[in-house]
Amino acid sequence: SCDQCDYLATQDYNLKTHIKNVHSGKMYSCYKCNFQAKNQKTLKSHNEFKHEGISYPCDQCAYKGSSKSLVTAHQNSVHERIRYSCEQCDYQATRQDNLKTHLQKHH
């Protein structure tokens, strides 16, 4: 497990990658605009979406995301109305990562 947050990994490689991407403080800059990403995968996705016009459409509305996982998160939130509830207060998030951020900041 990560000694800096509650991330759990099943393999050492995944833990090392997590620590490097999330906790190293290194940022990857876009050469076409002022966008910065915590990892190369996010920067690649940004470049494809913002500068190369590659997107993934929602099959239920006009939304277009920069990755399939963002479209899935959009569909779960908007069309399926899935919510992630905080067990310590009334807060509800539309995405799991937003609930995690809430827990870290408020509890």
Side-chain angles (χ1 to χ4, degrees):
S1 67
C2 181
D3 62 358
Q4 300 177 56
C5 72
D6 60 355
Y7 177 80
L8 297 173
T10 56
Q11 297 178 348
D12 285 342
Y13 171 78
N14 293 339
L15 179 59
K16 288 176 185 175
T17 301
H18 161 80
I19 291 170
K20 179 182 153 204
N21 289 341
V22 177
H23 302 298
S24 72
K26 182 176 181 179
M27 298 298 284
Y28 297 87
S29 298
C30 177
Y31 65 93
K32 294 182 179 179
C33 70
N34 63 356
F35 178 81
Q36 290 190 318
K38 287 186 177 182
N39 58 59
Q40 290 176 318
K41 183 179 177 182
T42 301
L43 180 60
K44 181 178 184 283
S45 179
H46 159 81
N47 279 320
E48 290 174 347
F49 185 69
K50 293 291 185 182
H51 303 301
E52 297 173 20
I54 297 170
S55 64
Y56 300 87
C58 174
D59 62 5
Q60 300 176 54
C61 71
Y63 175 83
K64 293 179 182 178
S66 60
S67 69
K68 291 178 185 177
S69 63
L70 284 177
V71 174
T72 299
H74 156 79
Q75 290 172 333
N76 288 342
S77 169
V78 175
H79 302 298
E80 300 296 325
R81 302 218 185 279
I82 294 173
R83 299 293 181 262
Y84 301 92
S85 298
C86 178
E87 294 180 358
Q88 300 178 41
C89 72
D90 292 335
Y91 177 81
Q92 289 190 331
T94 57
R95 294 177 17 179
Q96 284 181 316
D97 57 333
N98 291 341
L99 177 59
K100 183 177 177 181
T101 300
H102 164 79
L103 288 168
Q104 290 172 340
K105 287 185 177 180
H106 300 286
H107 300 297

